Amino acid sequence: MKTKSFFCILLFLPLFIFQACGQNKEVKNSEMTSAATNSSKAKNPYYSHTDTTKLNLTDAEWKKILPEDVYLVSRKADTERPFTGKYWNTDVKGTYYCAACGNTLFRSGAKFSSSCGWPSFFEQENKKSIVFKDDNSIGMERIEALCGRCGGHLGHLFDDGPAPTGKRYCMNSIALDFVPDAK
């Protein structure tokens, strides 16, 4: 696994340098207070952990209801800096949801430590929870992972994860909400 982590760092080093030079926006601080998170959900009439109706809002509508940092990642495909997100290094049991719409994305049992600086999962909650599209935005071929309900950018999918899937869903913490299991 250390070889994969080293490869991940080498692979993304040019991206980090590119972003550090100001050529691409990035979310600088993905830590949100619970008060800010709760107030953003209260203002977002589309946020639901149970409604799976596809959403088709305009960019202006999303901008009105999402906190700026969530908007930049979810709607503009920005990336938070590695090792700064609130979920990259946690092992609490629970469920991860889309921060923009509340769609169920992952269970904590599918989370693993990839040492790449972002939360990583080997399997999505169900086949419709996340959809994919090709992404050649930084001069390399990647697969973008999008929320299956609202189409918000979550991160990317790679083929270097653990068994049983061999997949690594590399997600932005700011694009996720987490609800711990009841004790």
Side-chain angles (χ1 to χ4, degrees):
M1 194 57 92
K2 287 185 178 185
T3 304
K4 288 182 183 177
S5 298
F6 181 73
F7 177 72
C8 182
I9 290 168
L10 286 179
L11 183 64
F12 289 103
L13 187 58
L15 174 62
F16 301 144
I17 293 168
F18 182 69
Q19 288 179 338
C21 293
Q23 300 299 313
N24 187 20
K25 280 186 172 180
E26 75 177 23
V27 176
K28 300 225 185 285
N29 182 3
S30 65
E31 297 295 333
M32 290 177 52
T33 65
S34 58
T37 303
N38 290 338
S39 67
S40 68
K41 290 176 192 172
K43 291 191 296 187
N44 183 347
Y46 306 103
Y47 192 94
S48 172
H49 289 180
T50 57
D51 187 356
T52 58
T53 306
K54 294 266 189 212
L55 295 174
N56 190 20
L57 279 66
T58 66
D59 188 59
E61 290 172 303
W62 282 118
K63 194 165 188 157
K64 284 180 191 174
I65 61 175
L66 295 177
E68 183 180 8
D69 50 0
V70 176
Y71 170 80
L72 289 172
V73 170
S74 179
R75 308 322 304 176
K76 298 300 181 186
D78 280 354
T79 301
E80 66 191 357
R81 290 183 300 191
F83 307 104
T84 63
K86 55 190 166 192
Y87 304 126
W88 82 269
N89 194 27
T90 63
D91 60 0
V92 177
K93 301 298 179 210
T95 305
Y96 291 86
Y97 299 92
C98 174
C101 73
N103 187 35
T104 306
L105 301 173
F106 302 101
R107 291 284 305 147
S108 58
K111 190 172 187 289
F112 69 98
S113 178
S114 68
S115 302
C116 70
W118 292 279
S120 298
F121 304 85
F122 63 81
E123 182 175 55
Q124 63 194 61
E125 174 61 19
N126 66 62
K127 291 181 181 184
K128 294 181 181 180
S129 63
I130 299 174
V131 296
F132 308 94
K133 76 175 190 177
D134 291 338
D135 176 5
N136 301 310
S137 63
I138 61 168
M140 63 186 280
E141 292 181 23
R142 298 184 296 171
I143 300 172
E144 183 179 12
L146 304 162
C147 174
R149 180 171 182 236
C150 72
H153 174 77
L154 302 168
H156 290 87
L157 178 66
F158 300 97
D159 289 324
D160 62 358
T165 64
K167 302 293 183 190
R168 176 171 55 98
Y169 294 76
C170 185
M171 304 289 101
N172 288 286
S173 287
I174 197 68
L176 306 173
D177 275 340
F178 178 74
V179 176
D181 288 343
K183 292 186 179 183

